[in-house]
Amino acid sequence: MTILVTAASGQLGRLVIDALLTRGAEPSTIVAGARDTSKLADVAARGIRAVELDYGKPDTIAAALDGVDTVLLVSGSEVGQRIAQHRNVIEAAKAAGVAKLVYTSAPNASTADYPLAPEHAATEAVIAETGIPAVILRNNWYIENYAADVARAAETGVVSSSTGEGLIVGATRADLADAAAVVLLEDGHLGQVYELSGDEAFGYADIAAAATDVLGREVVYTPLTTEQQAAALESAGLDAGTIGFVTSLDAGIRAGVLEVPTGGVSRLIGRPTTSLVDGLRAALATEAATA
């Protein structure tokens, strides 16, 4: 079995490669795809084939799929272009006879109303339309997404949002990458749609408590209305489009779009997921080390 990991120069893709190797995959059975292969020099040094793969350039996709029977399609980052780009990969994989396509989607993608859902839902529809054998991984929020809030709290003692009492069932990138590796390597997952969640649901009050633990100083949660949050973002210099995106996303969280049953990841990887406190501590340590 040869596994192609797309967007392999990104944070999630690199961690999936690490997890595949840890779980016993031979480097020769992994292909790492990225727009810029120079960013994969360290991956290639481990004996992994690095190939150019640009979602917007179908010729690079077809070449990258040579000899591949399993593909991890890491969702693209270009909002507004992702449906067409993902279709390029899915249709090329179907034409190449790929036996398993694994796609990283978003929580409740086909049913929830929040800004990130439509493109993921449309991609899932393309997968169904082509009939390619597939597994959908609906990754909940990365715990690392909240490291910036905690870093600011080191100075202010406050975390704030307009998410209200909305809960997130997040997990670290590494845990989600490990779940992807399991699905890529194991049989028996085709046709499944996994809501990949951590072992604990948390809201911003819990993030404040975790920040207190990590920082060693008291951090409190200050809930904002949508209007207050918009004003704060505007004063920070954000443009109207970004402000609308952030406030709409928080409104979705407030409405429960990220509330799914806990334990989706641990059931796949066979161990507990990283806690909120430990995930934030590790994220801040990583940022400090690379600063």
Side-chain angles (χ1 to χ4, degrees):
M1 178 172 64
T2 301
I3 300 170
L4 169 64
V5 177
T6 71
S9 61
Q11 295 181 80
L12 182 65
R14 286 181 177 278
L15 289 169
V16 171
I17 289 173
D18 290 342
L20 287 169
L21 294 172
T22 297
R23 288 188 173 272
E26 293 295 329
S28 60
T29 66
I30 302 172
V31 180
R35 288 178 178 176
D36 183 355
T37 56
S38 69
K39 295 181 179 179
L40 295 174
D42 59 323
V43 173
R46 302 166 81 176
I48 293 167
R49 180 160 64 97
V51 298
E52 181 186 2
L53 196 162
D54 186 326
Y55 294 169
K57 297 179 179 179
D59 56 327
T60 68
I61 300 168
L65 286 165
D66 184 36
V68 168
D69 48 33
T70 300
V71 174
L72 174 66
L73 172 54
V74 176
S75 58
S77 59
E78 297 178 78
V79 175
Q81 301 182 48
R82 292 192 288 188
I83 300 169
Q85 291 178 345
H86 294 166
R87 180 181 285 276
N88 287 341
V89 179
I90 295 160
E91 292 183 344
K94 174 69 173 180
V98 165
K100 182 194 295 183
L101 176 81
V102 180
Y103 173 61
T104 62
S105 189
N108 289 312
S110 60
T111 57
D113 180 18
Y114 65 105
L116 294 180
E119 288 185 311
H120 288 292
T123 299
E124 292 185 15
V126 172
I127 291 170
E129 170 194 319
T130 62
I132 189 169
V135 187
I136 307 299
L137 305 181
R138 291 179 173 171
N139 290 350
N140 213 290
W141 261 216
Y142 301 139
I143 284 175
E144 290 88 345
N145 289 351
Y146 300 99
D149 291 297
V150 176
R152 285 191 294 271
E155 299 296 326
T156 65
V158 174
V159 293
S160 60
S161 79
S162 60
T163 56
E165 301 301 315
L167 295 177
I168 302 135
V169 196
T172 63
R173 279 194 185 90
D175 286 345
L176 288 162
D178 198 16
V182 169
V183 169
L184 289 166
L185 292 168
E186 289 185 352
D187 294 329
H189 299 286
L190 288 177
Q192 296 298 313
V193 178
Y194 291 119
E195 291 286 350
L196 288 187
S197 54
D199 291 344
E200 58 181 324
F202 56 85
Y204 258 83
D206 301 299
I207 292 170
T212 296
D213 191 324
V214 170
L215 298 173
R217 63 159 296 178
E218 184 180 11
V219 176
V220 298
Y221 168 45
T222 300
L224 304 174
T225 65
T226 297
E227 293 73 22
Q228 287 171 330
Q229 184 183 34
L233 295 172
E234 184 177 9
S235 68
L238 276 67
D239 61 88
T242 302
I243 291 170
F245 178 85
V246 173
T247 54
S248 295
L249 189 58
D250 275 16
I253 295 173
R254 188 169 65 244
V257 298
L258 300 187
E259 291 185 44
V260 300
T262 60
V265 173
S266 59
R267 283 190 288 274
L268 280 175
I269 65 178
R271 60 173 173 79
T273 56
T274 306
S275 69
L276 176 62
V277 169
D278 289 343
L280 289 172
R281 183 176 287 113
L284 289 175
T286 298
E287 288 185 4
T290 57

